[in-house]
Amino acid sequence: MGIIYNKMKKIENKSEAILSLIESSIKNGNQNIGTFASNLITNLKKIASIEEIKKMAQDKLSEKNIYFIRHAESEHNVLESKYSFFEIDKWNIHDPKLSEKGVEQTNYLRKKLQEKKIHFDSVFISPLTRAMQTYFLIEKDLNEDAKIIVTDFAREVVSLKLDKNKGKVLSQLKEENKNTKLDFSFMTKEYWWFDLGQKKDDEAEGQDRFRLRLQLFVLWLAFRHDENMLIISHSHVFINMQESYGIYNADMVRMNNQDFMFKIWALFEDEE
């Protein structure tokens, strides 16, 4: 019995060290996502083997319930339905707000939350306005003791020269929300939509960097102590996290933890 206890204690100590490393790395970020991942993996291997990390992540994910809300309809969703992709100047607006319909849609979300009565340990929000507005409109239907974390790991992909996925700088977000319970300590940099690996501000993030960011996000979620978590984010984030066709505005779904494991395996693919 003592041998089993000591083995479990050793695993738990490694798990704590991994979580501490991930969260301190995020808080001390301000590097491009490739360098961030490389440095993190190098330091993770000092704590445990890749196989140990994957096994711990799988065990921990099996105990978690992770839900996803796509933001309610925003102004750019309305415009995109009216104009073609090639009429980009008519729908490419900077950091769009929710539409009137979007505000109304959150009533559906509120009813769903009231019915399910899920006690969330943590809520992770994209820093884009449409995601943050969605959170504030459902805030009263979330348990008061939930940790509310704003993180650019949950932001939408920046593709082409689309202003819709670029938002307010971190210092402005902090100032505007200084009297709220929002935690901005897991934001990586002032211009958080701009990966430092890019050559210029209007260059696309690219699918490879986007997928890598989400793989790291999933690894972080796996090692957190939270049992019930909620992500308030965007369609492409959901599609790439769940290998799914999509999710409607203002919809909430429980995520498939097996798809999360595929992300973690992919993160360590070159390390085996």
Side-chain angles (χ1 to χ4, degrees):
M1 191 72 179
I3 294 173
I4 296 174
Y5 173 80
N6 290 336
K7 185 176 181 180
M8 290 176 65
K9 193 68 177 174
K10 187 175 181 180
I11 291 172
E12 192 56 38
N13 288 342
K14 286 186 176 182
S15 176
E16 287 290 335
I18 288 170
L19 176 61
S20 178
L21 174 61
I22 293 170
E23 296 201 331
S24 63
S25 298
I26 295 171
K27 290 182 176 182
N28 297 315
N30 202 30
Q31 52 193 322
N32 72 63
I33 199 69
T35 301
F36 177 92
S38 178
N39 290 341
L40 179 64
I41 291 172
T42 296
N43 289 317
L44 284 172
K45 289 192 291 187
K46 296 175 183 177
I47 299 172
S49 69
I50 297 301
E51 283 306 314
E52 283 181 300
I53 295 169
K54 288 162 63 176
K55 179 65 168 62
M56 283 188 277
Q58 186 165 13
D59 290 345
K60 287 184 168 296
L61 278 172
S62 69
E63 302 169 353
K64 298 182 186 298
N65 304 302
I66 304 176
Y67 292 82
F68 190 103
I69 287 176
R70 182 187 175 191
H71 64 82
E73 183 188 78
S74 68
E75 294 169 333
H76 84 281
N77 294 136
V78 177
L79 293 172
E80 283 176 338
S81 67
K82 293 181 178 180
Y83 301 104
S84 73
F85 176 81
F86 299 101
E87 296 177 285
I88 187 171
D89 59 312
K90 295 181 179 179
W91 53 262
N92 182 30
I93 54 180
H94 182 83
D95 193 22
K97 302 187 295 292
L98 295 186
S99 66
E100 289 184 15
K101 180 181 176 181
V103 173
E104 292 175 4
Q105 284 176 337
T106 59
N107 291 325
Y108 159 78
L109 265 179
R110 296 189 63 193
K111 289 178 182 177
K112 198 167 187 177
L113 287 164
Q114 290 164 10
E115 289 169 2
K116 288 187 174 292
K117 298 179 180 178
I118 303 167
H119 188 282
F120 290 109
D121 300 295
S122 290
V123 179
F124 299 84
I125 311 171
S126 160
L128 286 162
T129 294
R130 54 195 184 271
M132 293 185 63
Q133 276 188 303
T134 300
Y135 160 72
F136 281 121
L137 287 167
I138 64 172
E139 180 183 22
K140 291 182 179 179
D141 299 287
L142 299 169
N143 45 288
E144 291 185 1
D145 59 339
K147 300 179 185 71
I148 311 299
I149 297 169
V150 182
T151 175
D152 45 313
F153 275 86
R155 66 175 170 82
E156 184 62 291
V157 61
V158 176
S159 54
L160 301 176
K161 299 181 179 181
L162 300 186
D163 290 334
K164 67 176 185 176
N165 295 335
K166 301 173 185 178
K168 299 172 182 176
V169 295
L170 178 56
S171 55
Q172 183 180 356
L173 287 172
K174 287 181 176 179
E175 178 62 27
E176 291 181 356
N177 296 280
K178 61 185 177 183
N179 296 320
T180 71
K181 60 186 293 188
L182 299 183
D183 177 2
F184 289 94
S185 65
F186 293 101
M187 293 287 290
T188 60
K189 47 191 170 286
E190 178 75 351
Y191 294 87
W192 43 266
W193 61 89
F194 175 50
D195 187 10
L196 296 181
Q198 296 172 215
K199 295 177 182 178
K200 54 186 178 181
D201 183 46
D202 61 4
E203 184 180 328
E205 180 179 20
Q207 281 298 311
D208 289 343
R209 282 184 290 203
F210 179 47
R211 291 194 187 99
L212 180 57
R213 168 160 61 85
L214 295 183
Q215 289 163 8
L216 292 163
F217 187 26
V218 169
L219 184 69
W220 177 26
L221 297 179
F223 278 93
R224 280 187 63 89
H225 300 303
D226 313 313
E227 179 182 349
N228 296 317
M229 290 182 276
L230 174 63
I231 301 167
I232 303 177
S233 186
H234 310 270
S235 60
H236 286 93
V237 173
F238 179 80
I239 290 168
N240 281 272
M241 289 181 92
Q242 290 286 272
E243 304 301 329
S244 169
Y245 290 109
I247 180 173
Y248 292 110
N249 287 117
D251 197 7
M252 181 173 79
V253 298
R254 182 177 174 182
M255 303 188 84
N256 184 339
N257 288 357
Q258 186 58 47
D259 282 348
F260 282 146
M261 274 313 303
F262 292 147
K263 299 302 175 193
I264 293 174
W265 291 333
L267 176 62
F268 294 114
E269 190 173 22
D270 296 334
E271 301 298 321
E272 301 183 84

